[in-house]
């Protein structure tokens, strides 16, 4: 590749802040997509995807070489000391060109090819349909209808093609409201609760100090009327009041209660994208302290304001969820309605509806409130070279808030922390086309569904890794966040996950999930064996009855003969009767040629003894303990963020690269595809007819 000036550098030292005195020496490889550091002694590899790099800094020369500091969007921070300054410069200039492409068409997703037969290109793109999601909420109905005016993105180019509005909203109301709202983002339905209270989202009105729009006022009144249970509704401006006032001076602003009837207006104080970006930068500085003490770390975390911002987002989301739960509709906006609005609308739904706390529901929530309603992923995540002031950790904060809720109510969520981390990393990786672009129209114009793979397709192959073993479905309809300051935690698993000195060997969640999977495997195997034994019993019972009937018939015939011919030898008599039986009934199951356990199979199918043995031995009864397993059989060392996975067939532990196959085991009743290692997979392929 033209951008790569130097593909391989030897005798490079890798330094992290827990190992400054004994740095690791190895070889640095630069490929078209990754920076790879290989430690020859331990066989450990550190892979850094170019798209994950947030910044590259060439530090002053030292006595041992030229240091290159790389900070990643995954919160990995690593320094490579290259022996020669010229080599360091070549690596630096190559990475500068590679980590942030100029054109969106140069992103990784347009060249990425998964392992052969991993999953097809179309997998995942059809998992979500906006119409189906609203149908799930029983929309359209007598109050809400589908608006077709945005079919070609003429009403609002950052909204989805299908938007749902009050049935009594006229064409004039929709057009005028769109023109009166920033970026044309008119009020539209995003969630309808089962009590008819709704959440609608939009952008700020272009009201200035005195401008008004009658049609926009009518639009909000139409939204209020869709909920017959209440004679007022809330309009929530997620910004601090002072920010909204500043926007007002620029001709934008917020709704005037004197013009909008039957509304109660609230400012709820979430800071803007620039404050959030600066806050996260301070969090990273706190985490990168060379030798932190309790006071220096806690002071740095406090001064970052990060946890205060997380609490503010949860507070606003809780206000919306509580209002809807009590039957009051809410209209939500911030400035343009694609950052803070996306955060609080989706979190409120997460609190209100248990469906969104499942894996499938959470993916649907992201598709609806983040992708369809136009959160600017490419700009906020810095996918390509753009204005650095547009980059902000808005989606990271949403995942953080979700994790806070999971920490407080773990039994209410089907997914685990790993699920959130995978989502976070792939939003930034651009390995899949799912999060590329700034709105639905961008993704259609780029033909991402045809040209790239979907993250949902990839994740559907790894669902067993994302299950929360403590999940109890249908326990609570709605959940509430505990906003007490001591309940808002620093998410060590996200921001400090690459710090090798602070993590347990095996995360508790992984151990619980592993135990649950082992139990599931054994229960599935027991189910299969139980059915086999039942079929054997049934078969033997029928055969015994046939034998008894046939023996009775034969005995009757024999009894007519003179008793003097009877020989007092049990074996002789048994063999004689069996031979008579054989002659009398050619198809009898107890004939010598047929008498074997191979016949005793489910569905009366012919099964060889070898197949029966394979069924029984195909399921590992004992799984190797995770404790003290430091390396995979391929010599890859396990560290604190490696996923250890058991092969369900042999029970041994492998790294993710060695256990990339899922097949159904003959000894499982469910026929469900489960993880197996490459060795077991090859063995099963040989045994298959």
């Amino acid at each position: 590749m033209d951008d790569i000036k130097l593909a391989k550098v030897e005798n490079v030292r890798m330094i992290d802040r827990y190992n400054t005195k004994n740095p690791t020496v190895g070889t640095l490889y630069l490929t078209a997509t990754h920076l790879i550091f290989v430690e020859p002694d331990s066989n450990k590899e550190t892979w850094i995807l170019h798209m994950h790099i947030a910044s590259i800094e060439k530090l002053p020369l030292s006595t041992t070489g030229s240091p290159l500091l790389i900070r990643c969007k995954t919160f990995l921070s690593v320094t490579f000391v290259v022996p020669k300054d010229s080599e360091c410069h070549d690596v630096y200039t190559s990475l500068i060109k590679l980590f942030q492409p100029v054109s969106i068409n140069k992103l990784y997703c347009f060249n990425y090819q998964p392992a052969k037969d991993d999953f097809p290109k179309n997998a995942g793109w059809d998992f979500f349909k906006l119409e189906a999601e609203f149908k799930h909420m029983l929309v359209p109905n007598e109050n809400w209808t589908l608006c077709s005016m945005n079919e070609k993105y003429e009403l609002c180019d950052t909204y989805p093609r299908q938007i749902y509005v009050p049935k009594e909203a006229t064409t004039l109301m929709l057009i005028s409201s769109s023109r009166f709202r920033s970026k044309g983002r008119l009020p539209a339905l995003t969630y309808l609760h089962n009590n008819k209270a709704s959440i609608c989202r939009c952008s700020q009105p272009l009201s200035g100090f005195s401008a008004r729009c009658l049609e926009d006022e009518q639009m909000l009144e139409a939204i209020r009327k869709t909920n017959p249970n209440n004679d007022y509704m809330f309009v929530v401006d997620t910004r601090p009041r002072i920010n909204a006032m500043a926007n007002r001076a620029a001709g934008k602003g917020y709704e005037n209660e004197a013009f909008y009837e039957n509304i109660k207006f609230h400012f709820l104080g979430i800071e803007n994208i620039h404050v959030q970006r600066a806050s996260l930068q301070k969090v990273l500085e706190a985490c990168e302290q060379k030798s932190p003490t309790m006071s220096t770390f806690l002071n740095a975390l406090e001064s970052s304001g990060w946890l205060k911002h997380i609490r503010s987002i949860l507070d606003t989301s809780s206000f919306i969820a509580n209002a809807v739960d009590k039957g009051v509709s809410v209209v939500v906006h911030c400035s343009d309605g694609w950052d803070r609005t996306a955060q609080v609308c989706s979190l409120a739904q997460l609190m209100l509806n248990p469906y969104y706390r499942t894996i499938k529901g959470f993916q649907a929530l992201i598709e609806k409130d983040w992708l369809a309603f136009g959160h600017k992923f490419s700009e906020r995540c810095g996918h390509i070279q753009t204005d650095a002031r547009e980059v902000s950790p808005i989606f990271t904060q949403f995942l953080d808030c979700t994790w806070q809720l999971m920490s407080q109510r773990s039994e209410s969520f089907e997914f685990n922390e790993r699920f959130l981390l995978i989502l976070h990393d792939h939003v930034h990786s651009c390995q899949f086309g799912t999060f590329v672009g700034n709105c639905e129209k961008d993704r259609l114009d780029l033909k991402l569904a045809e040209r790239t793979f979907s993250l949902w397709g990839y994740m559907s192959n790894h669902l067993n890794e994302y299950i929360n073993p403590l999940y109890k479905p249908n326990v609570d309809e709605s959940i509430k966040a505990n906003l007490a300051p001591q309940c808002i935690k620093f998410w060590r698993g996200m921001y400090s996950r690459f710090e090798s000195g602070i993590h347990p060997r095996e995360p508790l969640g992984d151990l619980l999930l592993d135990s649950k999977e082992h139990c599931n495997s054994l229960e599935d195997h027991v189910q299969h064996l139980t059915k086999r034994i039942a079929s054997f019993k049934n078969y033997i019972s029928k055969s015994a009855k046939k034998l008894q009937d046939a023996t009775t018939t034969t005995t009757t015939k024999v009894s007519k003969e003179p008793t003097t011919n009877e020989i007092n030898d049990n074996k002789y008599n048994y063999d004689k009767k069996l031979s008579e039986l054989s002659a009398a009934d050619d198809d009898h199951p107890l004939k010598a040629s047929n008498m074997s356990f191979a016949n005793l199979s489910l569905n009366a199918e012919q099964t060889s003894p070898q197949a029966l043995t394979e069924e029984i031995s195909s399921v590992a009864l004992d799984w190797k303990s995770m404790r003290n397993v430091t390396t995979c059989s391929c010599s890859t060392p396990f560290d604190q963020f490696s996923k250890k996975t058991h092969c369900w067939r042999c029970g041994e532990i492998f790294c993710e690269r060695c256990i990339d196959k899922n097949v159904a085991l003959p000894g499982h009743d469910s026929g469900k595809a489960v993880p197996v290692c490459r060795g077991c997979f090859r063995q099963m392929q040989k045994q298959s007819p």
Side-chain angles (χ1 to χ4, degrees):
M1 192 172 173
D2 297 339
D3 292 328
I4 299 176
K5 293 187 177 181
L6 193 64
K8 178 182 174 183
V9 189
E10 293 185 342
N11 296 318
V12 174
R13 296 161 71 237
M14 184 174 79
I15 301 170
D16 66 49
R17 68 187 183 88
Y18 282 96
N19 197 18
T20 51
K21 292 182 180 176
N22 299 305
T24 312
V25 180
T27 305
L28 193 65
Y29 295 89
L30 191 59
T31 73
T33 57
H34 289 80
L35 186 67
I36 308 166
F37 181 75
V38 180
E39 304 169 30
D41 295 339
S42 64
N43 203 34
K44 184 180 178 182
E45 298 174 3
T46 302
W47 288 59
I48 300 174
L49 181 67
H50 297 328
M51 293 301 307
H52 273 158
I53 296 174
S55 66
I56 310 163
E57 197 178 338
K58 196 166 177 288
L59 303 177
L61 272 169
S62 68
T63 52
T64 51
S66 186
L68 199 62
L69 172 61
I70 294 174
R71 289 190 178 95
C72 296
K73 297 169 185 176
T74 57
F75 308 109
L76 168 68
S77 180
V78 64
T79 302
F80 294 110
V81 182
V82 183
K84 295 180 184 174
D85 187 52
S86 59
E87 290 178 334
C88 182
H89 182 73
D90 287 345
V91 173
Y92 174 75
T93 51
S94 299
L95 285 174
I96 287 291
K97 291 178 182 176
L98 291 166
F99 91 93
Q100 209 173 36
V102 179
S103 163
I104 203 162
N105 286 296
K106 297 277 187 186
L107 290 176
Y108 181 28
C109 58
F110 295 108
N111 298 310
Y112 167 70
Q113 287 295 326
K116 191 182 176 187
D117 301 328
D118 199 357
F119 62 101
K121 205 165 205 170
N122 62 349
W125 287 112
D126 57 350
F127 283 7
F128 174 85
K129 293 278 184 267
L130 196 63
E131 307 97 299
E133 189 54 33
F134 277 96
K135 202 171 182 181
H136 183 73
M137 298 181 233
L138 306 179
V139 175
N141 55 36
E142 71 277 8
N143 295 315
W144 296 93
T145 188
L146 173 63
C147 169
S148 57
M149 291 173 65
N150 208 40
E151 200 62 43
K152 295 181 180 176
Y153 302 104
E154 290 171 342
L155 199 61
C156 175
D157 62 358
T158 59
Y159 265 6
R161 281 181 296 186
Q162 297 95 8
I163 57 174
Y164 292 83
V165 297
K167 212 162 201 175
E168 69 171 56
T170 64
T171 302
L172 179 62
M173 283 162 61
L174 295 169
I175 293 171
S176 300
S177 180
S178 176
R179 287 175 182 166
F180 188 64
R181 296 273 170 178
S182 178
K183 313 293 185 188
R185 293 170 69 87
L186 71 157
L189 179 70
T190 186
Y191 177 68
L192 183 64
H193 202 46
N194 50 26
N195 61 6
K196 295 195 176 181
S198 62
I199 301 174
C200 290
R201 52 182 297 173
C202 56
S203 60
Q204 64 185 337
L206 307 177
S207 54
F209 284 103
S210 59
R212 62 185 293 190
C213 172
L214 289 171
E215 288 82 10
D216 189 70
E217 293 162 23
Q218 291 165 4
M219 182 72 179
L220 260 63
E221 178 62 13
I223 290 171
R224 186 197 65 77
K225 286 181 181 174
T226 59
N227 179 10
N229 301 322
N230 236 304
D231 56 3
Y232 72 94
M233 70 174 181
F234 288 119
V235 173
V236 168
D237 191 327
T238 61
R239 301 169 291 181
R241 182 184 290 271
I242 193 167
N243 295 26
M245 293 293 286
N247 281 355
R248 206 173 182 188
K252 299 178 183 179
Y254 52 90
E255 293 80 358
N256 187 332
E257 283 188 71
F259 299 152
Y260 292 84
E261 294 180 357
N262 306 315
I263 72 162
K264 292 185 179 181
F265 192 85
H266 286 269
F267 285 111
L268 284 166
I270 303 172
E271 297 290 351
N272 63 27
I273 61 169
H274 313 297
V275 174
Q276 309 294 7
R277 180 178 61 250
S279 178
L280 182 62
Q281 185 56 43
K282 288 179 182 176
V283 171
L284 301 186
E285 288 168 10
C287 293
E288 286 179 10
Q289 291 175 18
K290 287 284 185 286
S291 50
T293 62
M294 278 294 289
S295 59
T296 57
F297 177 77
L298 291 174
N299 288 338
L301 184 61
E302 165 64 22
S303 66
S304 75
W306 184 255
L307 295 182
K308 186 179 75 175
H309 298 315
I310 294 298
R311 186 188 182 280
S312 181
I313 295 163
L314 283 168
D315 190 15
T316 305
S317 308
S318 295
F319 177 87
I320 296 165
N322 290 339
V324 171
D325 200 31
K326 290 173 182 172
V328 184
S329 293
V330 186
V331 173
V332 188
H333 68 75
C334 47
S335 296
D336 293 322
W338 48 44
D339 292 315
R340 290 167 278 201
T341 303
Q343 287 176 330
V344 299
C345 286
S346 47
L347 284 165
Q349 292 170 65
L350 201 63
M351 295 175 191
L352 285 165
N353 195 330
Y355 167 65
Y356 294 123
R357 300 192 289 271
T358 66
I359 291 174
K360 183 182 176 185
F362 195 74
Q363 290 174 342
L365 188 64
I366 290 169
E367 282 276 1
K368 175 169 67 73
D369 273 278
W370 292 83
L371 292 165
F373 272 99
H375 174 67
K376 301 200 291 184
F377 277 105
S378 282
E379 289 195 10
R380 296 292 180 259
C381 299
H383 289 162
I384 58 173
Q385 288 180 31
T386 184
D387 184 353
R389 291 173 302 174
E390 287 294 308
V391 175
S392 192
I394 302 302
F395 191 73
T396 302
Q397 287 181 319
F398 164 65
L399 295 178
D400 195 326
C401 290
T402 302
W403 178 81
Q404 301 287 344
L405 290 170
M406 284 170 60
S407 300
Q408 294 178 12
R409 298 296 303 273
S410 57
E411 77 285 356
S412 297
F413 290 82
E414 185 187 19
F415 47 86
N416 58 16
E417 182 184 57
R418 186 180 297 275
F419 177 74
L420 298 181
L421 295 177
I422 291 287
L423 267 175
H424 175 271
D425 292 355
H426 281 302
V427 162
H428 292 90
S429 74
C430 297
Q431 183 172 329
F432 304 96
T434 307
F435 294 97
V436 171
N438 290 322
C439 59
E440 185 182 277
K441 184 177 182 295
D442 281 1
R443 294 178 193 100
L444 281 174
D445 291 345
L446 287 165
K447 298 181 178 176
L448 292 170
E450 299 166 30
R451 299 170 63 197
T452 69
F453 289 83
S454 165
L455 175 60
W456 309 137
Y458 163 79
M459 292 182 86
S460 66
N461 276 8
H462 299 266
L463 287 181
N464 60 302
E465 296 175 25
Y466 312 137
I467 298 295
N468 168 23
L470 301 174
Y471 176 55
K472 293 178 183 174
N474 307 318
V475 171
D476 292 305
E477 184 67 23
S478 62
I479 60 172
K480 292 185 179 180
N482 188 334
L483 299 170
Q486 63 270 30
C487 293
I488 309 299
K489 302 176 188 173
F490 173 71
W491 190 4
R492 189 189 69 182
M494 172 72 90
Y495 311 112
S496 301
R497 63 180 134 147
F498 294 98
E499 296 177 1
S500 54
I502 65 167
H503 295 271
R505 282 173 299 181
E506 288 85 32
L508 182 60
D510 282 2
L511 289 172
L512 284 171
L513 183 57
D514 191 64
S515 300
K516 186 176 180 182
E517 286 183 337
H518 191 192
C519 289
N520 289 343
S521 176
L522 294 176
E523 284 170 5
D524 206 347
H525 190 44
V526 166
Q527 191 79 12
H528 179 80
L529 295 177
T530 303
K531 285 190 177 179
R532 276 289 189 199
I533 291 166
S535 71
F536 292 169
K537 282 182 177 177
N538 188 38
Y539 200 87
I540 291 168
S541 173
K542 285 181 180 176
S543 302
K545 190 172 187 308
K546 280 187 181 180
L547 178 61
Q548 187 179 5
D549 293 345
T551 308
T552 305
T553 307
T554 312
T555 306
T556 306
K557 288 179 182 177
V558 171
S559 64
K560 293 177 182 177
E561 296 176 11
T563 51
T564 51
N565 294 339
E566 193 74 52
I567 299 171
N568 192 18
D569 185 332
N570 288 336
K571 184 178 184 307
Y572 171 81
N573 289 333
Y574 175 80
D575 288 342
K576 183 182 176 190
K577 285 175 182 177
L578 200 60
S579 63
E580 290 169 354
L581 189 62
S582 179
D585 185 357
D586 253 2
D587 297 326
H588 200 282
L590 294 183
K591 279 175 64 173
S593 60
N594 266 356
M595 184 54 186
S596 83
F597 276 98
N599 289 315
L600 305 180
S601 64
L602 291 172
N603 303 322
E605 292 174 0
Q606 292 275 330
T607 308
S608 66
Q610 185 183 350
L612 283 168
T613 306
E614 167 58 20
E615 283 181 18
I616 293 167
S617 62
S618 72
V619 178
L621 300 183
D622 293 316
W623 283 16
K624 190 172 184 178
S625 170
M626 278 189 176
R627 293 184 70 82
N628 303 320
V629 177
T630 55
T631 56
C632 176
S633 59
C634 69
S635 301
T636 300
F638 289 120
D639 51 31
Q640 77 281 357
F641 50 90
S642 298
K643 175 81 170 76
K644 297 177 183 177
T645 308
H646 277 99
C647 170
W648 291 41
R649 187 174 186 272
C650 66
E652 295 293 317
I653 292 171
F654 298 89
C655 68
E656 288 177 291
R657 278 192 284 178
C658 290
I659 197 157
D660 57 351
K661 303 293 182 187
N662 285 284
V663 294
L665 300 179
H668 278 162
D669 181 57
S670 65
K672 187 181 78 173
V674 296
V676 295
C677 64
R678 289 176 179 176
C680 286
F681 181 75
R682 283 194 293 269
Q683 204 172 335
M684 289 180 73
Q685 295 296 97
K686 287 177 188 173
Q687 288 172 350
S688 298

